[in-house]
Amino acid sequence: MNIKEAKKEIANTLRAYHLKDEEGEYRIPPARQRPILLMGPPGIGKTAIMEQVAAQCGVGLVAYTITHHTRQSAVGLPLIQKRSYQGQERTVTEYTLSEIIASVYECMERTGKQEGILFIDEINCVSETLAPTMLQFLQNKTFGSHQVPRGWVIVAAGNPPQYNKSVREFDIVTLDRVRRIDVEPDCGVWMEYAWEQGVHGAVLSYLNIRRDHFYQVEQTGEGKAFVTARGWEDLSQLLLGYEELEIPVTREVAAQYLQKEEVAREFAAYYQLYRKYGRDYAIAQILEGSLSREEYGQRLQMAAEASFEERFTVVGLFLDALNLKEGEWEEEDGRVKALHEILSHLKNYLENQEDMQCLRQFLEEQRKSLREKKKAGLLIRREERAQRRALACLEEYDLTLRREHINQRERGWERIRELFSRETEKRSRDAREFREELERAFAFISDAFGEEQEMILFVSSLTRNQGISAFLGAFGCEPYFRYSKKLLELESQEELQRACREACGEIPL
């Protein structure tokens, strides 16, 4: 299965393992809650989906790469203790608490979450001294003599032997005690994740054209030649940084991440074209609607006469620009929503206060709450940023009240409502402007390419982008729904034709 299907399977398993009966006992006894063994090539996102599943299910997460550990850190250090057996005193060896198990308890204490995921990566690449410990861990859910706490689901990940020479095969006894999920690279699924993470548009556009370059691992005379999803994502971060610093990106730079000569060479050349096309087509001005009729016509003609690769690159440039716009919209929308939530708390808080002098105390309590949530790992980065910016906005409201000498409670609250109404009005304007930019993108692609494969790529990519899909669902965009309907009709026709062909093929001549 692909990584998206694996993520869903892990989330379903988590919910099933945490299901309780009327007495509060787990319906599936912990002894029957098999660990999940996630097997797949390196760099396809096995670690990333653990964070997503934990956030989605509202549970804790403790993650370890086991190859970084010794037997002592996993099992604990030996201690000599005295015990009495049948009237005779004996010395026995016990162990301190495993560092990994201790981390689980620390997570429970820090976050208040009593259930979670214990994720162990590279479990089949451990040293010879640690291998028996890992087998015991999968079979008995213990590190040494220390049990994994109830409510914590074990997920382990490893690489098949063709990707790693140090891989150790599990025996049948161990495999019969785990749920094995085999994961394969899937470019389309990764692209959905990549849009959400803000991966560089040149990477996404290139992979739309050369999907066969998404994931490759080959043995050559000089060693391993490989390209992984992790490589593409890390290269994307470097591209963004180099562009900000105006540092040129060369083939040698690309080859440091894409460790296959052919792919690095082709991508480096494509990246230069991507940058040039971005300037030539003036994508930002098209979206803003600021080009003159003559300038717009020149870009249309250039696109209509372009090669297949250039056409797909133009679509990629529009998608990249719209993805950046959506990121800006989502950040502002998150800030306004967070501010609305804080103001709802403020309204209740003011009911027991005499005047607006309490606002600074309220702000300090909100800052403290935010710090505690961040420390406990209860907020993802986007939520934390939205709340910080919302509090900064409320601080400005406080300054406004003091500048205008407003201290009376009712008048102060009315003034804050007035100030907040400006935020909601701006949010409406931003939504309208973003929708208009989407409509201009549709108009250009339609005028230049018609309803051919470029339009199909554009519509399907917008649909895969969760942020843009959410915006379209909330605020609409007539061209999107019109072309989506045509695309669905086309897919239905193709499916019907395929079924007919298969049925006809079964008729004997």
Side-chain angles (χ1 to χ4, degrees):
M1 63 176 64
N2 60 48
I3 199 73
K4 184 178 182 180
E5 293 167 337
K7 174 184 171 182
K8 183 178 180 180
E9 188 64 34
I10 293 169
N12 288 340
T13 299
L14 205 65
R15 285 192 283 266
Y17 283 0
H18 288 161
L19 189 64
K20 296 178 181 177
D21 60 22
E22 59 277 3
E23 296 179 356
E25 295 294 326
Y26 290 111
R27 288 192 179 276
I28 301 177
R32 298 298 179 198
Q33 295 180 7
R34 290 191 174 197
I36 295 173
L37 179 60
L38 203 60
M39 296 295 289
I44 62 171
K46 296 189 292 292
T47 305
I49 66 169
M50 292 303 113
E51 299 173 357
Q52 296 167 22
V53 170
Q56 175 185 328
C57 296
V59 299
L61 173 66
V62 173
Y64 274 94
T65 299
I66 200 63
T67 51
H68 299 167
H69 283 265
T70 63
R71 185 176 184 278
Q72 286 73 25
S73 62
V75 175
L77 293 171
L79 293 174
I80 304 301
Q81 299 284 3
K82 290 185 178 181
R83 293 284 183 268
S84 179
Y85 298 106
Q86 296 182 343
Q88 294 187 4
E89 193 173 76
R90 308 280 187 179
T91 57
V92 296
T93 302
E94 293 187 356
Y95 290 87
T96 58
L97 186 63
S98 158
E99 178 183 321
I100 297 173
I101 299 296
S103 294
V104 173
Y105 283 111
E106 287 170 5
C107 179
M108 293 165 68
E109 188 172 318
R110 185 180 71 253
T111 65
K113 297 176 179 178
Q114 301 305 302
E115 298 174 330
I117 300 171
L118 175 54
F119 177 62
I120 305 295
D121 199 8
E122 299 184 7
I123 193 166
N124 59 343
C125 300
V126 296
S127 64
E128 186 174 345
T129 57
L130 199 52
T133 301
M134 289 302 98
L135 294 178
Q136 179 194 37
F137 169 65
L138 290 176
Q139 292 177 18
N140 304 321
K141 303 178 188 174
T142 60
F143 277 112
S145 58
H146 308 292
Q147 192 84 27
V148 176
R150 286 168 59 90
W152 281 74
V153 176
I154 296 170
V155 181
N159 304 137
Q162 63 266 35
Y163 298 103
N164 196 324
K165 291 182 179 178
S166 61
V167 161
R168 295 177 176 276
E169 293 285 349
F170 291 121
D171 56 40
I172 294 178
V173 173
T174 301
L175 291 174
D176 195 36
R177 286 175 167 81
V178 300
R179 293 181 58 183
R180 175 167 175 157
I181 299 177
D182 291 300
V183 185
E184 296 295 334
D186 187 310
C187 184
V189 167
W190 183 80
M191 296 271 276
E192 294 180 29
Y193 160 83
W195 278 119
E196 187 176 348
Q197 297 300 312
V199 168
H200 196 289
V203 170
L204 297 171
S205 183
Y206 178 78
L207 291 176
N208 264 325
I209 299 169
R210 294 302 307 268
R211 293 202 169 207
D212 57 315
H213 283 182
F214 168 62
Y215 199 101
Q216 295 185 7
V217 178
E218 294 179 6
Q219 182 67 48
T220 68
E222 300 176 355
K224 291 278 189 184
F226 59 92
V227 180
T228 69
R230 183 188 294 124
W232 286 115
E233 187 169 3
D234 291 347
L235 174 59
S236 164
Q237 293 297 314
L238 186 81
L239 294 177
L240 295 169
Y242 270 32
E243 287 174 6
E244 187 172 339
L245 297 169
E246 298 183 354
I247 299 173
V249 176
T250 63
R251 181 192 61 78
E252 289 75 18
V253 170
Q256 294 164 16
Y257 294 86
L258 312 174
Q259 298 189 44
K260 187 175 180 185
E261 175 65 25
E262 174 195 354
V263 178
R265 184 180 63 252
E266 285 195 23
F267 175 76
Y270 179 82
Y271 175 75
Q272 303 306 324
L273 286 173
Y274 185 87
R275 297 275 287 173
K276 184 179 186 302
Y277 292 159
R279 295 188 295 269
D280 291 349
Y281 280 93
I283 299 296
Q285 289 83 352
I286 291 174
L287 292 177
E288 292 166 2
S290 59
L291 289 179
S292 68
R293 182 175 298 180
E294 181 182 357
E295 290 171 326
Y296 185 82
Q298 289 171 351
R299 269 69 179 189
L300 272 180
Q301 184 176 356
M302 186 163 57
E305 296 173 353
S307 65
F308 162 81
E309 182 179 292
E310 185 173 332
R311 286 167 168 243
F312 267 48
T313 302
V314 170
V315 174
L317 285 163
F318 274 111
L319 290 168
D320 189 25
L322 290 169
N323 195 45
L324 289 173
K325 295 281 186 180
E326 189 282 326
E328 294 170 2
W329 155 260
E330 190 169 330
E331 187 164 295
E332 281 302 297
D333 185 51
R335 181 184 66 86
V336 174
K337 288 178 177 176
L339 181 57
H340 180 267
E341 183 179 355
I342 290 172
L343 292 180
S344 297
H345 295 315
L346 175 61
K347 183 180 181 182
N348 295 330
Y349 183 83
L350 288 173
E351 290 178 358
N352 301 316
Q353 306 297 324
E354 294 182 0
D355 53 39
M356 295 306 296
Q357 291 296 316
C358 66
L359 184 51
R360 270 161 282 177
Q361 176 64 31
F362 175 80
L363 273 165
E364 185 53 42
E365 291 176 6
Q366 292 296 311
R367 292 191 201 99
K368 181 181 178 182
S369 175
L370 179 58
R371 288 194 297 269
E372 290 174 350
K373 288 178 182 177
K374 181 181 177 181
K375 185 178 179 181
L378 299 177
L379 297 172
I380 61 175
R381 185 177 178 183
R382 184 187 304 157
E383 292 170 339
E384 180 204 341
R385 181 173 172 80
Q387 292 193 24
R388 277 196 291 107
R389 296 183 73 224
L391 287 174
C393 190
L394 186 55
E395 287 176 6
E396 288 296 320
Y397 292 180
D398 179 44
L399 283 174
T400 298
L401 294 183
R402 284 189 273 165
R403 279 195 295 263
E404 297 177 0
H405 311 289
I406 298 175
N407 190 45
Q408 200 267 337
R409 187 182 63 179
E410 286 76 14
R411 177 71 187 105
W413 175 247
E414 283 305 313
R415 184 65 175 122
I416 287 174
R417 287 184 61 186
E418 291 171 10
L419 293 169
F420 180 68
S421 68
R422 297 178 186 176
E423 302 285 349
T424 57
E425 289 169 6
K426 181 180 181 300
R427 177 179 179 268
S428 298
R429 288 196 304 272
D430 290 345
R432 184 169 59 253
E433 288 172 7
F434 185 30
R435 185 175 60 218
E436 289 171 355
E437 290 182 345
L438 281 161
E439 290 170 351
R440 292 188 189 108
F442 271 104
F444 184 90
I445 293 172
S446 176
D447 291 343
F449 310 128
E451 298 178 10
E452 301 302 320
Q453 55 191 351
E454 294 83 7
M455 182 62 78
I456 292 173
L457 171 63
F458 186 60
V459 173
S460 59
S461 296
L462 290 179
T463 304
R464 286 200 304 267
N465 187 317
Q466 293 184 7
I468 292 181
S469 290
F471 176 88
L472 292 168
F475 298 97
C477 177
E478 189 277 329
Y480 170 78
F481 293 113
R482 173 159 41 92
Y483 287 113
S484 294
K485 183 179 179 181
K486 289 184 179 181
L487 181 58
L488 288 172
E489 289 172 354
L490 179 63
E491 290 175 347
S492 298
Q493 290 172 8
E494 290 178 348
E495 183 65 31
L496 180 59
Q497 290 171 356
R498 191 181 305 112
C500 289
R501 287 194 298 271
E502 292 174 356
C504 290
E506 295 173 359
I507 300 174
L509 297 177

